[in-house]
Amino acid sequence: MKVLMFGWEFAPVYSGGLGVACAGLVKAMVAQGADVTFVLPRVPDGITVPGVKLISADRRQNKLLKFKTEPLTAYASSESYELWKKRNPQAAALYGNTLFAEVQRYAEAAKELAAKIPHDVIHSHDWMTYQAGINAKAVSGKPLVVHVHATEFDRTGGNSINQHVYGIEKLGFENADAVVPVSNFTKEKVVANYGIDPEKIMAVHNAVEFTEPVEQPKLGKTDKVVLFLGRITLQKGPDWFLYAAKKVLEKEPRAKFIMAGSGDMEPKIIEKAAELGLAGKMLFTGFLTGKDIDRAYKMADVYVMPSVSEPFGITPLEAMRNGTPVIISKQSGVSEVVKHCLKVDFWDVHAMANKILGVLYYKELQDELGLQGRNEVANITWDKPAHEVLNLYGTLMKKRRR
Amino acid sequence: MTNVCMYFQVHQPFRLKQYRVFDIGNSHDYFDDDKNHAVMEKVARKCYLPATRLILDLVKKHKGKFKVAYSITGTALEQFQLYAPDVILLFKQLADTGHVEFLSETSHHSLSFLHDKAEFKEQIAQHKRLMKRLLGVTPTVFRNTELVYNNELAKLVEELGYKAILAEGADHILGWQSPNYIYQPKGCSKLKLLLKNYKLSDDIAFRFSNKGWESYPLTAAKFADWVAPVLGDSVNLFMDYETFGEHQWEDTGIFEFLKHLPEELFKRKIGFQLPSEAAKLQPKGVLDIHNPISWADIERDLSAWLGNKMQHAAAHQLYALLPSIKESGNKQLLETWRKLSTSDHFYYMCTKWFADGDVHKYFNPYDSPYDCFIAFMNILNDIEGQLRPSDEKRWITI
């Protein structure tokens, strides 16, 4: 089974869940015998992944200078791309004039790659690569699968969606032989907001790569720590975390809150925290990577994911792997998968605060959630989703032959 | 030829609200009246009323040859009085036929035997008074909550003057022995032990409507064919009463099954006997059961109620409050406490979901066992606060 896959990022170099999910899925597919060529806008220097052919859509890669910041993250908006260009004029010369121009250039490259690289099926991850998938399909005539890690409605919370992005997403769904959202929560959005036939949509839940977390005792501390870890952006519900923190502190002034991550709402959230009188109680760490992420989970007594709209949400699984109890928004794909956690509507601040306090007060609850959560997450591996995707390919190829 | 001994368990707990940390000290309103009302109305309509009318008809039709036993919890009786008084009238009519036996148990369907023997005896006494007052009967056979049983319990129950006690016919205690005989508990001289034939009982209670089961559909004739060749003195069919119409819906044919069961058994020369009648039979041997057994899950042990840390903590804190409540002389608070002692609350905190998941989930009014634990512990905190208003955070320490 030869797969030509288009994606915008791939762990270990990534800006968010997309790169982690792509890498997890592809590695498990390769382990099950698939032959995957993964096309990135650019392959960062020195990055190789055993068994996976990572190739660059940008033939000028060798000429590329090293830049401190990378404009083409999966979460770049058109606005942030403009800003980056202004700050990096030398680099900008090599990129398209807009993010959309870059997406377009990537899509053009896909035609050439589809002609050159033998494949049985084409698979695109999120809107940036949908046009590339459509182009590849036009060249080779092979079935196209589009994966939906997030829709424009999730990214914007449904307010002021970008019509251009929406258009590309819709085109991708319509031209795909199968649409694979990361949850039924997202499937419903694809049906409701894009008018796609549910018959050709199959949800495949994400998973976590199994790595035994470094055993380290919980830090010796007297404060109780409540953690938010994710991009500080509307979709992730950081404001709801603040409101819940305020309620918790009314009851339990000894609680401490950590907000780990960065994002467009960061200045606003910091300001809001001060306004709510949370100064000294709400700590901001900035964007964390690698070991620091596991350390944050370990340090926390409870991890909260208050997302407004989360197509899947891998971070709760990472927290559970570290034995940390989690409270997750019901408006998430991951809540379809895990049982050993507390679930809450993101807007129900009162319930969220109650559950946070429950975990802080009752040690047995914290222990049981930690223990059962760890056991549960050990069984949520990429083998199952990889198997489901490969089966889907098989079905599509059979249909094609008929 | 053997006899069939049927007993139905009738129980509804007082379900709790999602009582929050913020409610502690502000509200002493713990029970979800709306939900309890709704559940009782629904189950009365689907099960208690039609099933009891059917049993009453069958008892009259077969002129006492058909007879059954019930065990009705105090919490169910109280909710009948509140939300479905007609059900009590029907049970009273059944009692008046003289062919229906009512068993003894704790008033609040509690596991108090495991935690506090004095409280256990008080709850039995309370149930006894309730049965006398509402149904005019005095039970002589005892069944413990969830069929939890061991030697120690048998001894205690014998001392209380009962003739027999019921238990689960668990494989691991019976070994090669059959559940279809009467036994004597180790350490007892008079008390008899009746064991549930779980295979035949579960054919009705769990498998009846399972289309994937090789014996589907189960008819009264087929079932009677299975009972007919059984060797023994008493085939004990113990099950939840809600099997009829609630767990197995009417459209599965469960009422038709029940309606025809007596005549099909009579055709095969099988009769019915009540637990107190079975208790007059000679015991086949002595059973030595040290570790508590129950009728739940595949383990048949206590792990559905006392399997994880949360359940142990909740039970520990609950029973730790009891002496001060009794000291305070606050009757209302004691009654509230007893409603919290109902085993269901602990069942809802069970986390071993995955093997037996569906049964647990079906009955759980909470999103998760963790949510139940939070509500339960918050309530205990509030009670603690009522008892010691000056020192409200005595054991909430973080």
Side-chain angles (χ1 to χ4, degrees), chain B residues 86-361:
Chain B
D86 289 354
V87 177
I88 298 210
L89 295 178
L90 278 173
F91 278 123
K92 179 78 175 85
Q93 281 177 266
L94 271 183
D96 291 344
T97 65
H99 301 299
V100 173
E101 181 170 354
F102 292 88
L103 308 183
S104 166
E105 64 171 296
T106 59
S107 51
H108 288 74
H109 198 258
S110 74
L111 295 170
S112 50
F113 163 69
L114 301 168
H115 304 285
D116 188 322
K117 302 282 188 289
E119 171 63 14
F120 176 62
K121 287 183 196 168
E122 283 180 43
Q123 288 198 14
I124 294 172
Q126 188 175 334
H127 185 259
K128 192 176 177 179
R129 289 193 294 272
L130 204 56
M131 296 307 287
K132 186 76 192 162
R133 182 161 65 81
L134 292 175
L135 302 178
V137 297
T138 302
T140 59
V141 172
F142 184 79
R143 84 113 224 175
N144 196 22
T145 306
E146 316 287 8
L147 286 193
V148 167
Y149 173 89
N150 69 1
N151 293 338
E152 191 192 2
L153 173 71
K155 191 104 184 72
L156 206 159
V157 166
E158 183 176 70
E159 284 163 16
L160 292 173
Y162 290 99
K163 292 179 190 161
I165 185 166
L166 314 187
E168 172 71 30
D171 291 332
H172 71 274
I173 56 130
L174 276 167
W176 56 270
Q177 300 169 100
S178 159
N180 307 317
Y181 290 97
I182 310 305
Y183 292 88
Q184 187 126 67
K186 186 175 177 177
C188 289
S189 56
K190 288 186 284 234
L191 191 77
K192 308 287 173 54
L193 175 60
L194 275 56
L195 297 172
K196 172 180 157 192
N197 182 318
Y198 75 82
K199 163 90 189 32
L200 287 168
S201 301
D202 293 353
D203 285 340
I204 302 172
F206 297 148
R207 288 180 281 274
F208 184 79
S209 61
N210 180 356
K211 291 187 175 147
W213 181 33
E214 76 250 12
S215 301
Y216 180 86
L218 182 60
T219 59
K222 194 189 283 182
F223 189 80
D225 281 339
W226 294 345
V227 177
V230 170
L231 293 175
D233 297 330
S234 186
V235 174
N236 301 321
L237 303 177
F238 300 168
M239 65 197 72
D240 284 335
Y241 196 34
E242 296 80 13
T243 299
F244 303 97
E246 166 61 11
H247 302 170
Q248 311 289 349
W249 292 3
E250 185 184 2
D251 60 14
T252 64
I254 192 74
F255 288 116
E256 283 301 300
F257 173 88
L258 184 58
K259 190 173 163 188
H260 296 291
L261 188 60
E263 66 202 41
E264 292 296 338
L265 287 169
F266 295 147
K267 273 189 213 164
R268 291 161 183 78
K269 306 267 187 295
I270 297 162
F272 287 85
Q273 65 192 357
L274 296 170
S276 58
E277 293 170 333
K280 290 177 188 147
L281 300 170
Q282 272 303 311
K284 193 79 175 170
V286 172
L287 277 187
D288 178 8
I289 301 168
H290 180 74
N291 293 321
I293 58 167
S294 78
W295 71 356
D297 302 341
I298 37 174
E299 294 91 343
R300 302 288 203 272
D301 60 9
L302 301 178
S303 58
W305 309 276
L306 286 169
N308 66 40
K309 278 189 175 186
M310 297 189 299
Q311 292 167 314
H312 281 283
H316 178 79
Q317 297 294 0
L318 177 71
Y319 282 87
L321 285 173
L322 187 56
S324 338
I325 291 173
K326 287 189 172 165
E327 247 168 62
S328 76
N330 185 334
K331 286 255 163 52
Q332 203 189 338
L333 196 55
L334 181 59
E335 179 52 33
T336 298
W337 183 94
R338 285 184 170 151
K339 288 189 168 81
L340 294 170
S341 75
T342 300
S343 68
D344 303 59
H345 305 307
F346 296 89
Y347 192 76
Y348 301 149
M349 293 177 207
C350 179
T351 47
K352 49 161 198 161
W353 266 6
F354 299 111
D356 295 292
D358 293 342
V359 184
H360 286 260
K361 207 168 174 185

Side-chain angles (χ1 to χ4, degrees), chain A residues 110-226:
Chain A
K111 293 180 185 168
E112 217 174 292
L113 293 169
K116 211 167 64 185
I117 301 166
H119 58 278
D120 305 308
V121 63
I122 304 157
H123 192 146
S124 288
H125 294 274
D126 272 6
W127 73 271
M128 296 81 77
T129 70
Y130 286 176
Q131 189 59 51
I134 294 169
N135 288 354
K137 182 179 171 179
V139 171
S140 70
K142 299 296 183 186
L144 170 65
V145 174
V146 303
H147 216 109
V148 193
H149 296 266
T151 69
E152 184 65 2
F153 289 85
D154 303 303
R155 283 182 293 265
T156 60
N159 304 316
S160 63
I161 61 158
N162 185 311
Q163 285 302 326
H164 191 74
V165 172
Y166 174 80
I168 293 173
E169 286 178 329
K170 192 160 171 7
L171 197 68
F173 300 154
E174 285 167 356
N175 281 277
D177 297 85
V179 179
V180 177
V182 291
S183 61
N184 289 311
F185 175 73
T186 303
K187 176 178 176 170
E188 280 165 29
K189 295 204 163 178
V190 172
V191 173
N193 298 334
Y194 298 82
I196 304 302
D197 176 10
E199 287 293 304
K200 76 167 187 183
I201 309 176
M202 182 181 85
V204 172
H205 289 114
N206 283 343
V208 273
E209 270 188 88
F210 186 78
T211 49
E212 198 56 51
V214 199
E215 262 321 314
Q216 46 179 343
K218 293 261 179 193
L219 306 178
K221 58 186 174 59
T222 46
D223 291 331
K224 290 283 169 172
V225 176
V226 186

